[in-house]
Amino acid sequence: QTRIHGNDDSTGYTVPDFLKVAEAYGIKTASASNDSESVGVIEKVLNSRGPMIVNVDIHPDQEHTEFKL
């Protein structure tokens, strides 16, 4: 299966570190790298006020779904 998009050397496509961008603007951030961290991140989001950027890592082989409008 061909990846629809990817942030790796083979595609030449890169994206900024959105957590660092958010922090530079004073926006709160949270990140979950695995299932065990998810509960803590969800609690942090629900107990926070104001905007927050949340990063959730997914497995590199996760299947992608093409969205259609």
Side-chain angles (χ1 to χ4, degrees):
Q1 175 180 348
T2 303
R3 295 181 77 174
I4 295 172
H5 59 81
N7 183 15
D8 57 41
D9 293 336
S10 68
T11 64
Y13 172 71
T14 60
V15 295
D17 183 332
F18 291 110
L19 296 180
K20 287 183 180 178
V21 172
E23 290 168 355
Y25 283 94
I27 299 171
K28 291 177 272 190
T29 64
S31 184
S33 299
N34 55 54
D35 291 344
S36 64
E37 294 176 355
S38 298
V39 173
V41 168
I42 291 169
E43 289 174 351
K44 181 177 179 179
V45 170
L46 293 176
N47 292 317
S48 295
R49 296 183 58 92
M52 178 180 278
I53 300 294
V54 178
N55 181 73
V56 179
D57 292 335
I58 60 170
H59 193 278
D61 294 329
Q62 172 69 37
E63 290 186 27
H64 294 249
T65 302
E66 185 175 348
F67 294 101
K68 296 180 183 180
L69 296 176

